[in-house]
Coordinates of all heavy atoms in Angstrom, one line a residue:
M1 N 45.8 0.1 -3.4 CA 44.5 -0.3 -2.9 C 44.4 -1.8 -3.1 O 44.7 -2.4 -4.1 CB 43.4 0.4 -3.6 CG 42.0 0.0 -3.1 SD 40.7 1.2 -3.4 CE 40.6 1.2 -5.1
A2 N 43.8 -2.6 -2.1 CA 43.6 -4.0 -2.2 C 42.5 -4.3 -3.2 O 41.5 -3.6 -3.4 CB 43.3 -4.6 -0.8
E3 N 42.7 -5.5 -3.9 CA 41.7 -5.9 -4.8 C 40.5 -6.6 -4.1 O 40.7 -7.2 -3.0 CB 42.3 -7.0 -5.8 CG 43.4 -6.5 -6.7 CD 43.9 -7.6 -7.6 OE1 43.6 -8.8 -7.3 OE2 44.6 -7.2 -8.5
S4 N 39.3 -6.4 -4.6 CA 38.2 -7.0 -4.0 C 38.1 -8.5 -4.5 O 38.8 -8.9 -5.4 CB 36.9 -6.3 -4.5 OG 36.6 -6.6 -5.8
L5 N 37.3 -9.3 -3.8 CA 37.2 -10.7 -4.2 C 36.7 -10.8 -5.6 O 37.1 -11.7 -6.3 CB 36.2 -11.4 -3.2 CG 36.1 -12.9 -3.3 CD1 37.4 -13.6 -3.2 CD2 35.1 -13.4 -2.3
A6 N 35.8 -9.9 -6.0 CA 35.2 -10.0 -7.4 C 36.3 -9.7 -8.4 O 36.2 -10.3 -9.5 CB 34.1 -9.0 -7.5
D7 N 37.3 -8.9 -8.1 CA 38.4 -8.7 -9.0 C 39.3 -9.9 -9.1 O 39.9 -10.1 -10.2 CB 39.2 -7.5 -8.6 CG 38.4 -6.2 -8.7 OD1 37.5 -6.1 -9.6 OD2 38.7 -5.3 -7.9
I8 N 39.4 -10.7 -8.1 CA 40.3 -11.8 -8.0 C 39.7 -13.0 -8.7 O 40.3 -13.7 -9.4 CB 40.7 -12.1 -6.6 CG1 41.5 -11.0 -6.0 CG2 41.6 -13.4 -6.5 CD1 41.7 -11.1 -4.5
I9 N 38.4 -13.3 -8.4 CA 37.7 -14.4 -8.9 C 36.8 -14.0 -10.0 O 35.9 -13.2 -9.8 CB 36.9 -15.1 -7.8 CG1 37.8 -15.6 -6.7 CG2 36.2 -16.3 -8.4 CD1 37.1 -16.1 -5.5
D10 N 37.0 -14.5 -11.2 CA 36.2 -14.1 -12.4 C 35.0 -15.0 -12.5 O 35.0 -16.0 -13.3 CB 37.0 -14.1 -13.7 CG 36.3 -13.6 -14.9 OD1 35.3 -12.8 -14.7 OD2 36.6 -13.9 -16.0
L11 N 33.9 -14.8 -11.8 CA 32.8 -15.7 -11.8 C 31.6 -15.0 -12.6 O 31.5 -13.8 -12.5 CB 32.3 -16.0 -10.4 CG 33.2 -16.8 -9.5 CD1 32.6 -16.9 -8.1 CD2 33.4 -18.2 -10.1
P12 N 30.8 -15.8 -13.2 CA 29.6 -15.2 -13.8 C 28.7 -14.5 -12.8 O 28.7 -15.0 -11.7 CB 28.9 -16.4 -14.4 CG 29.9 -17.5 -14.5 CD 30.9 -17.2 -13.4
T13 N 28.1 -13.5 -13.2 CA 27.3 -12.7 -12.2 C 25.8 -12.9 -12.5 O 25.0 -12.4 -11.7 CB 27.6 -11.2 -12.3 OG1 27.4 -10.8 -13.7 CG2 29.0 -10.9 -11.9
E14 N 25.4 -13.7 -13.5 CA 24.0 -13.9 -13.7 C 23.5 -15.0 -12.8 O 24.2 -15.9 -12.4 CB 23.8 -14.3 -15.2 CG 24.1 -13.2 -16.2 CD 23.7 -13.6 -17.6 OE1 24.4 -14.5 -18.1 OE2 22.7 -13.1 -18.1
Y15 N 22.2 -14.9 -12.5 CA 21.5 -15.9 -11.7 C 21.2 -17.1 -12.6 O 20.6 -17.0 -13.7 CB 20.3 -15.3 -11.1 CG 19.4 -16.3 -10.3 CD1 19.8 -16.7 -9.1 CD2 18.3 -16.8 -10.9 CE1 19.0 -17.6 -8.4 CE2 17.5 -17.7 -10.2 CZ 17.9 -18.1 -8.9 OH 17.1 -19.0 -8.2
V16 N 21.5 -18.3 -12.1 CA 21.1 -19.6 -12.8 C 19.8 -20.1 -12.2 O 19.7 -20.2 -11.0 CB 22.2 -20.6 -12.6 CG1 21.8 -22.0 -13.3 CG2 23.5 -20.2 -13.3
S17 N 18.9 -20.4 -13.1 CA 17.6 -21.0 -12.7 C 17.4 -22.3 -13.3 O 17.9 -22.6 -14.4 CB 16.4 -20.1 -13.0 OG 16.3 -19.8 -14.3
W18 N 16.7 -23.2 -12.7 CA 16.5 -24.6 -13.1 C 15.0 -24.7 -13.4 O 14.1 -24.3 -12.6 CB 16.9 -25.6 -12.1 CG 18.4 -25.7 -12.0 CD1 19.2 -25.0 -11.2 CD2 19.2 -26.6 -12.7 NE1 20.5 -25.4 -11.4 CE2 20.5 -26.4 -12.3 CE3 18.9 -27.6 -13.7 CZ2 21.6 -27.2 -12.8 CZ3 20.0 -28.3 -14.2 CH2 21.3 -28.1 -13.7
H19 N 14.6 -25.3 -14.6 CA 13.3 -25.6 -15.0 C 13.2 -27.0 -15.4 O 14.1 -27.6 -15.9 CB 12.9 -24.7 -16.1 CG 13.1 -23.2 -15.8 ND1 12.2 -22.5 -15.1 CD2 14.1 -22.4 -16.1 CE1 12.6 -21.2 -14.9 NE2 13.8 -21.1 -15.6
S20 N 12.0 -27.6 -15.2 CA 11.7 -29.0 -15.6 C 10.7 -29.0 -16.7 O 9.5 -29.1 -16.4 CB 11.3 -29.8 -14.4 OG 11.2 -31.2 -14.8
P21 N 11.1 -28.9 -18.0 CA 10.1 -28.9 -19.1 C 9.5 -30.3 -19.3 O 8.5 -30.4 -20.0 CB 10.9 -28.5 -20.3 CG 12.3 -28.9 -19.9 CD 12.5 -28.8 -18.5
A22 N 10.0 -31.3 -18.8 CA 9.5 -32.7 -19.0 C 9.9 -33.5 -17.8 O 10.8 -33.2 -17.1 CB 10.1 -33.3 -20.3
A23 N 9.2 -34.6 -17.6 CA 9.6 -35.6 -16.5 C 11.0 -36.0 -16.6 O 11.5 -36.3 -17.8 CB 8.6 -36.7 -16.5
A24 N 11.7 -36.0 -15.5 CA 13.1 -36.5 -15.5 C 14.1 -35.7 -16.3 O 15.1 -36.2 -16.7 CB 13.2 -38.0 -15.8
L25 N 13.8 -34.4 -16.5 CA 14.6 -33.5 -17.3 C 14.6 -32.1 -16.6 O 13.6 -31.6 -16.3 CB 14.2 -33.3 -18.7 CG 15.0 -32.4 -19.6 CD1 16.4 -32.8 -19.8 CD2 14.3 -32.1 -20.9
W26 N 15.9 -31.6 -16.3 CA 16.0 -30.3 -15.7 C 17.0 -29.5 -16.5 O 18.1 -30.0 -16.8 CB 16.5 -30.5 -14.2 CG 15.6 -31.3 -13.4 CD1 14.5 -30.8 -12.6 CD2 15.5 -32.7 -13.2 NE1 13.9 -31.8 -12.0 CE2 14.5 -33.0 -12.4 CE3 16.3 -33.7 -13.7 CZ2 14.2 -34.3 -12.0 CZ3 16.0 -35.0 -13.4 CH2 15.0 -35.3 -12.5
V27 N 16.6 -28.3 -16.8 CA 17.4 -27.4 -17.7 C 17.8 -26.2 -16.9 O 17.0 -25.5 -16.3 CB 16.6 -27.0 -18.9 CG1 17.4 -26.0 -19.8 CG2 16.2 -28.2 -19.7
A28 N 19.1 -25.8 -17.0 CA 19.6 -24.7 -16.3 C 19.9 -23.6 -17.3 O 20.4 -23.8 -18.4 CB 20.9 -25.0 -15.6
S29 N 19.5 -22.3 -16.9 CA 19.7 -21.2 -17.8 C 19.9 -19.9 -17.0 O 19.5 -19.9 -15.8 CB 18.6 -21.0 -18.8 OG 17.4 -20.8 -18.1
T30 N 20.4 -18.9 -17.6 CA 20.4 -17.6 -17.1 C 19.5 -16.7 -17.9 O 19.0 -17.2 -19.0 CB 21.8 -17.0 -17.1 OG1 22.2 -16.7 -18.4 CG2 22.8 -17.9 -16.4
P31 N 19.3 -15.5 -17.6 CA 18.4 -14.6 -18.5 C 19.0 -14.5 -19.9 O 18.3 -14.3 -20.9 CB 18.4 -13.3 -17.8 CG 18.6 -13.6 -16.4 CD 19.6 -14.8 -16.4
T32 N 20.3 -14.8 -20.1 CA 20.9 -14.6 -21.4 C 21.6 -15.8 -22.0 O 22.1 -15.8 -23.1 CB 22.0 -13.5 -21.4 OG1 23.0 -13.8 -20.5 CG2 21.3 -12.2 -21.0
A33 N 21.6 -16.9 -21.3 CA 22.4 -18.1 -21.7 C 21.8 -19.4 -21.3 O 21.3 -19.5 -20.2 CB 23.9 -18.0 -21.3
Y34 N 22.1 -20.4 -22.1 CA 21.8 -21.8 -21.7 C 23.0 -22.3 -21.0 O 24.1 -22.2 -21.4 CB 21.5 -22.7 -23.0 CG 21.5 -24.1 -22.8 CD1 20.5 -24.7 -22.1 CD2 22.5 -24.9 -23.3 CE1 20.5 -26.1 -21.9 CE2 22.5 -26.3 -23.1 CZ 21.5 -26.9 -22.4 OH 21.4 -28.2 -22.2
V35 N 22.8 -22.9 -19.8 CA 23.9 -23.4 -18.9 C 24.1 -24.9 -19.1 O 25.3 -25.3 -19.2 CB 23.6 -23.0 -17.5 CG1 24.7 -23.6 -16.5 CG2 23.5 -21.5 -17.3
G36 N 23.1 -25.7 -19.2 CA 23.2 -27.1 -19.3 C 22.0 -27.8 -18.9 O 21.0 -27.2 -18.6
M37 N 22.1 -29.1 -18.7 CA 20.9 -29.9 -18.3 C 21.3 -31.1 -17.5 O 22.4 -31.6 -17.6 CB 20.0 -30.2 -19.5 CG 20.6 -31.3 -20.4 SD 19.4 -31.6 -21.7 CE 20.0 -33.2 -22.3
V38 N 20.3 -31.7 -16.8 CA 20.4 -32.9 -16.1 C 19.2 -33.8 -16.5 O 18.1 -33.3 -16.5 CB 20.4 -32.7 -14.6 CG1 20.3 -34.1 -13.9 CG2 21.6 -32.0 -14.2
D39 N 19.4 -35.0 -16.9 CA 18.3 -35.9 -17.2 C 18.5 -37.2 -16.4 O 19.7 -37.6 -16.2 CB 18.1 -36.1 -18.7 CG 19.2 -36.9 -19.3 OD1 20.3 -36.3 -19.5 OD2 19.0 -38.0 -19.7
R40 N 17.4 -37.8 -16.0 CA 17.5 -39.1 -15.3 C 17.3 -40.3 -16.2 O 16.4 -40.3 -17.0 CB 16.5 -39.1 -14.2 CG 16.7 -40.3 -13.3 CD 15.8 -40.3 -12.1 NE 16.2 -41.4 -11.3 CZ 15.9 -41.6 -10.0 NH1 15.1 -40.7 -9.4 NH2 16.4 -42.6 -9.3
N41 N 18.2 -41.2 -16.1 CA 18.0 -42.5 -16.8 C 18.2 -43.7 -15.9 O 18.3 -43.4 -14.7 CB 19.0 -42.6 -18.1 CG 20.4 -42.7 -17.7 OD1 20.8 -43.1 -16.6 ND2 21.3 -42.3 -18.6
H42 N 18.3 -44.8 -16.4 CA 18.4 -46.0 -15.5 C 19.7 -46.1 -14.7 O 19.8 -46.8 -13.7 CB 18.2 -47.3 -16.3 CG 19.2 -47.5 -17.4 ND1 19.2 -46.9 -18.6 CD2 20.4 -48.2 -17.4 CE1 20.2 -47.2 -19.3 NE2 21.0 -48.0 -18.6
D43 N 20.8 -45.3 -15.2 CA 22.0 -45.3 -14.5 C 22.1 -44.3 -13.4 O 23.0 -44.4 -12.5 CB 23.2 -45.1 -15.5 CG 23.4 -46.3 -16.4 OD1 23.1 -47.4 -16.0 OD2 23.7 -46.1 -17.6
G44 N 21.3 -43.2 -13.5 CA 21.4 -42.1 -12.5 C 21.1 -40.8 -13.2 O 20.2 -40.8 -14.1
F45 N 21.7 -39.8 -12.7 CA 21.4 -38.4 -13.3 C 22.6 -38.0 -14.2 O 23.7 -37.9 -13.7 CB 21.3 -37.4 -12.1 CG 20.1 -37.7 -11.3 CD1 20.2 -38.5 -10.2 CD2 18.9 -37.1 -11.6 CE1 19.0 -38.8 -9.4 CE2 17.7 -37.4 -10.8 CZ 17.8 -38.2 -9.7
V46 N 22.3 -37.8 -15.4 CA 23.3 -37.5 -16.4 C 23.4 -35.9 -16.6 O 22.4 -35.3 -16.9 CB 23.0 -38.1 -17.8 CG1 24.0 -37.7 -18.8 CG2 22.8 -39.6 -17.7
A47 N 24.6 -35.4 -16.3 CA 24.8 -34.0 -16.5 C 25.4 -33.7 -17.8 O 26.3 -34.4 -18.3 CB 25.8 -33.5 -15.4
T48 N 24.9 -32.6 -18.5 CA 25.4 -32.2 -19.8 C 25.7 -30.7 -19.7 O 24.8 -29.9 -19.2 CB 24.4 -32.5 -20.9 OG1 24.0 -33.9 -20.8 CG2 24.9 -32.2 -22.3
D49 N 26.8 -30.3 -20.3 CA 27.1 -28.8 -20.3 C 26.4 -28.1 -21.4 O 25.7 -28.6 -22.2 CB 28.6 -28.6 -20.2 CG 29.3 -28.9 -21.5 OD1 28.7 -29.2 -22.5 OD2 30.6 -28.8 -21.6
C50 N 26.7 -26.8 -21.5 CA 26.1 -25.9 -22.5 C 26.4 -26.3 -23.9 O 25.7 -25.8 -24.9 CB 26.4 -24.5 -22.2 SG 28.1 -24.0 -22.4
T51 N 27.5 -27.0 -24.1 CA 27.9 -27.4 -25.5 C 27.4 -28.8 -25.9 O 27.6 -29.3 -27.0 CB 29.4 -27.4 -25.7 OG1 30.0 -28.4 -24.8 CG2 30.0 -26.1 -25.3
G52 N 26.7 -29.5 -24.9 CA 26.2 -30.8 -25.2 C 27.1 -31.9 -24.7 O 26.9 -33.1 -24.9
R53 N 28.3 -31.5 -24.2 CA 29.3 -32.5 -23.7 C 28.8 -33.1 -22.4 O 28.4 -32.4 -21.4 CB 30.6 -31.8 -23.4 CG 31.7 -32.7 -23.0 CD 33.0 -32.0 -22.8 NE 32.9 -30.9 -21.9 CZ 33.4 -31.0 -20.7 NH1 34.0 -32.1 -20.2 NH2 33.3 -29.9 -19.9
E54 N 28.8 -34.5 -22.3 CA 28.3 -35.2 -21.1 C 29.4 -35.0 -20.1 O 30.6 -35.2 -20.3 CB 28.1 -36.6 -21.4 CG 27.5 -37.4 -20.2 CD 27.1 -38.8 -20.5 OE1 26.4 -39.0 -21.5 OE2 27.6 -39.7 -19.7
L55 N 29.0 -34.6 -18.9 CA 29.9 -34.4 -17.7 C 30.0 -35.6 -16.8 O 30.9 -35.6 -16.0 CB 29.4 -33.2 -16.9 CG 29.3 -31.9 -17.7 CD1 28.6 -30.8 -16.9 CD2 30.7 -31.4 -18.2
G56 N 29.1 -36.5 -17.0 CA 29.1 -37.7 -16.1 C 27.8 -38.1 -15.7 O 26.8 -37.4 -15.9
V57 N 27.7 -39.3 -15.0 CA 26.5 -39.8 -14.4 C 26.6 -39.7 -12.9 O 27.7 -40.2 -12.4 CB 26.2 -41.2 -14.9 CG1 24.9 -41.8 -14.3 CG2 26.1 -41.3 -16.4
Y58 N 25.7 -39.2 -12.2 CA 25.8 -38.9 -10.8 C 24.7 -39.7 -10.1 O 23.6 -39.9 -10.6 CB 25.7 -37.4 -10.5 CG 26.9 -36.7 -11.1 CD1 26.8 -36.3 -12.5 CD2 28.0 -36.5 -10.4 CE1 27.9 -35.7 -13.1 CE2 29.1 -35.8 -11.0 CZ 29.0 -35.4 -12.3 OH 30.1 -34.8 -12.9
V59 N 24.9 -40.0 -8.8 CA 24.0 -40.7 -8.0 C 22.8 -39.8 -7.6 O 21.7 -40.3 -7.5 CB 24.7 -41.2 -6.7 CG1 23.7 -41.9 -5.8 CG2 25.8 -42.2 -7.1
T60 N 23.1 -38.5 -7.4 CA 22.0 -37.6 -7.0 C 21.8 -36.5 -8.0 O 22.7 -36.1 -8.7 CB 22.3 -37.0 -5.6 OG1 23.4 -36.1 -5.7 CG2 22.5 -38.0 -4.5
Q61 N 20.6 -36.0 -8.0 CA 20.3 -34.8 -8.9 C 21.1 -33.6 -8.5 O 21.6 -32.9 -9.4 CB 18.8 -34.5 -8.9 CG 18.4 -33.4 -9.8 CD 17.0 -32.9 -9.5 OE1 16.6 -32.7 -8.3 NE2 16.2 -32.7 -10.5
E62 N 21.3 -33.4 -7.2 CA 22.1 -32.3 -6.7 C 23.5 -32.3 -7.2 O 24.1 -31.3 -7.6 CB 22.0 -32.2 -5.2 CG 22.8 -31.1 -4.6 CD 22.8 -31.0 -3.1 OE1 22.3 -31.9 -2.5 OE2 23.3 -30.0 -2.6
S63 N 24.2 -33.5 -7.1 CA 25.5 -33.6 -7.6 C 25.7 -33.4 -9.1 O 26.6 -32.8 -9.6 CB 26.2 -34.9 -7.2 OG 25.5 -36.0 -7.7
A64 N 24.7 -33.8 -9.9 CA 24.7 -33.5 -11.3 C 24.5 -32.1 -11.6 O 25.2 -31.5 -12.5 CB 23.6 -34.4 -12.0
R65 N 23.6 -31.4 -10.8 CA 23.4 -29.9 -11.0 C 24.7 -29.2 -10.7 O 25.1 -28.2 -11.4 CB 22.3 -29.4 -10.1 CG 20.9 -29.8 -10.6 CD 19.9 -29.2 -9.7 NE 18.6 -29.5 -10.1 CZ 17.5 -28.7 -9.8 NH1 17.6 -27.7 -9.0 NH2 16.3 -29.0 -10.3
I66 N 25.4 -29.6 -9.7 CA 26.7 -29.0 -9.3 C 27.7 -29.1 -10.4 O 28.4 -28.2 -10.7 CB 27.2 -29.6 -8.0 CG1 26.3 -29.1 -6.8 CG2 28.7 -29.2 -7.7 CD1 26.6 -29.8 -5.5
A67 N 27.7 -30.3 -11.1 CA 28.6 -30.5 -12.2 C 28.3 -29.6 -13.3 O 29.2 -29.0 -14.0 CB 28.6 -32.0 -12.7
V68 N 27.0 -29.4 -13.6 CA 26.6 -28.5 -14.7 C 27.0 -27.1 -14.4 O 27.6 -26.3 -15.2 CB 25.1 -28.6 -14.9 CG1 24.6 -27.4 -15.9 CG2 24.7 -29.9 -15.5
Y69 N 26.8 -26.6 -13.2 CA 27.1 -25.3 -12.7 C 28.6 -25.1 -12.8 O 29.1 -24.1 -13.3 CB 26.6 -25.0 -11.3 CG 26.9 -23.6 -10.9 CD1 26.2 -22.5 -11.4 CD2 28.0 -23.3 -10.0 CE1 26.5 -21.2 -11.0 CE2 28.3 -22.0 -9.6 CZ 27.5 -21.0 -10.1 OH 27.9 -19.7 -9.7
G70 N 29.4 -26.1 -12.3 CA 30.8 -26.0 -12.3 C 31.4 -25.9 -13.7 O 32.4 -25.1 -14.0
A71 N 30.8 -26.6 -14.7 CA 31.3 -26.5 -16.1 C 31.0 -25.2 -16.7 O 31.7 -24.7 -17.5 CB 30.7 -27.6 -16.9
W72 N 29.9 -24.5 -16.2 CA 29.6 -23.2 -16.7 C 30.5 -22.1 -16.1 O 31.0 -21.3 -16.8 CB 28.1 -22.9 -16.4 CG 27.7 -21.5 -16.8 CD1 27.6 -21.0 -18.0 CD2 27.2 -20.5 -15.9 NE1 27.1 -19.8 -18.0 CE2 26.8 -19.4 -16.7 CE3 27.1 -20.4 -14.5 CZ2 26.3 -18.2 -16.2 CZ3 26.6 -19.2 -14.0 CH2 26.2 -18.2 -14.8
V73 N 30.8 -22.3 -14.8 CA 31.7 -21.3 -14.2 C 33.1 -21.4 -14.6 O 33.8 -20.4 -14.9 CB 31.6 -21.5 -12.6 CG1 32.7 -20.7 -11.9 CG2 30.2 -21.1 -12.1
A74 N 33.6 -22.7 -14.8 CA 35.0 -22.9 -15.2 C 35.0 -23.9 -16.4 O 35.2 -25.1 -16.2 CB 35.8 -23.5 -14.0
P75 N 34.7 -23.4 -17.6 CA 34.7 -24.3 -18.7 C 36.0 -25.0 -19.0 O 37.1 -24.4 -18.7 CB 34.3 -23.4 -19.9 CG 34.1 -22.1 -19.4 CD 34.4 -22.1 -18.0
A76 N 36.0 -26.2 -19.6 CA 37.2 -26.9 -19.9 C 38.0 -26.0 -21.0 O 37.3 -25.3 -21.7 CB 36.9 -28.2 -20.5
P77 N 39.3 -26.1 -21.1 CA 40.1 -25.3 -22.0 C 39.5 -25.3 -23.5 O 39.5 -24.3 -24.1 CB 41.5 -25.9 -21.9 CG 41.5 -26.5 -20.6 CD 40.1 -27.0 -20.3
E78 N 39.1 -26.5 -24.0 CA 38.6 -26.5 -25.3 C 37.3 -25.7 -25.5 O 37.0 -25.2 -26.5 CB 38.4 -28.0 -25.8 CG 37.4 -28.8 -25.1 CD 38.0 -29.5 -23.9 OE1 39.2 -29.3 -23.6 OE2 37.3 -30.4 -23.3
E79 N 36.5 -25.7 -24.4 CA 35.3 -24.9 -24.4 C 35.6 -23.4 -24.4 O 35.0 -22.6 -25.1 CB 34.4 -25.2 -23.3 CG 33.8 -26.6 -23.4 CD 33.1 -27.0 -22.1 OE1 33.7 -26.9 -21.0 OE2 31.9 -27.3 -22.2
Q80 N 36.6 -23.0 -23.7 CA 37.0 -21.6 -23.6 C 37.4 -21.1 -25.0 O 37.1 -20.0 -25.4 CB 38.2 -21.4 -22.6 CG 37.7 -21.6 -21.2 CD 38.9 -21.5 -20.2 OE1 40.0 -21.5 -20.6 NE2 38.5 -21.4 -19.0
A81 N 38.1 -21.9 -25.8 CA 38.5 -21.6 -27.1 C 37.2 -21.3 -28.0 O 37.2 -20.5 -28.9 CB 39.4 -22.6 -27.8
L82 N 36.2 -22.2 -27.8 CA 35.0 -22.0 -28.6 C 34.2 -20.8 -28.3 O 33.6 -20.1 -29.1 CB 34.1 -23.2 -28.4 CG 34.6 -24.6 -28.9 CD1 33.6 -25.7 -28.5 CD2 34.7 -24.5 -30.4
I83 N 34.3 -20.4 -27.0 CA 33.5 -19.2 -26.5 C 34.2 -17.9 -26.9 O 33.6 -16.9 -27.2 CB 33.4 -19.3 -24.9 CG1 32.4 -20.5 -24.6 CG2 32.8 -18.0 -24.4 CD1 32.4 -20.8 -23.1
A84 N 35.5 -17.9 -26.8 CA 36.3 -16.7 -27.1 C 36.2 -16.2 -28.5 O 35.9 -16.8 -29.4 CB 37.8 -16.9 -26.7

């Protein structure tokens, strides 16, 4: 029997929501986990993953959010060791 797409790709199944608890700050979470955050400074939008590691500074809020989501879906190898 052929594998389904869900069997091939190991993606989180929880819904990520974004909240803005303060001006120029957006926090991503699921019902069970902290995903990361984006904050705006004079350089642009700073993306930070769930471990506090800075992912970079982005021109748009959307691109910073994508970086946060991407780091959550596919953590860097050193993060995988911390999670496991």
Side-chain angles (χ1 to χ4, degrees):
M1 181 160 66
E3 293 181 349
S4 72
L5 186 57
D7 293 330
I8 297 168
I9 301 173
D10 185 25
L11 293 176
T13 57
E14 292 187 290
Y15 175 75
V16 174
S17 61
W18 287 88
H19 304 280
S20 183
L25 176 67
W26 300 269
V27 177
S29 62
T30 70
T32 62
Y34 168 69
V35 174
M37 69 178 200
V38 171
D39 67 291
R40 185 171 190 166
N41 68 20
H42 61 279
D43 293 326
F45 295 90
V46 181
T48 307
D49 72 5
C50 64
T51 66
R53 180 176 61 101
E54 188 175 307
L55 303 170
V57 180
Y58 297 85
V59 175
T60 66
Q61 181 190 47
E62 181 181 5
S63 57
R65 286 183 178 204
I66 291 169
V68 169
Y69 182 78
W72 177 64
V73 170
E78 61 271 8
E79 290 173 306
Q80 290 176 350
L82 294 174
I83 295 170

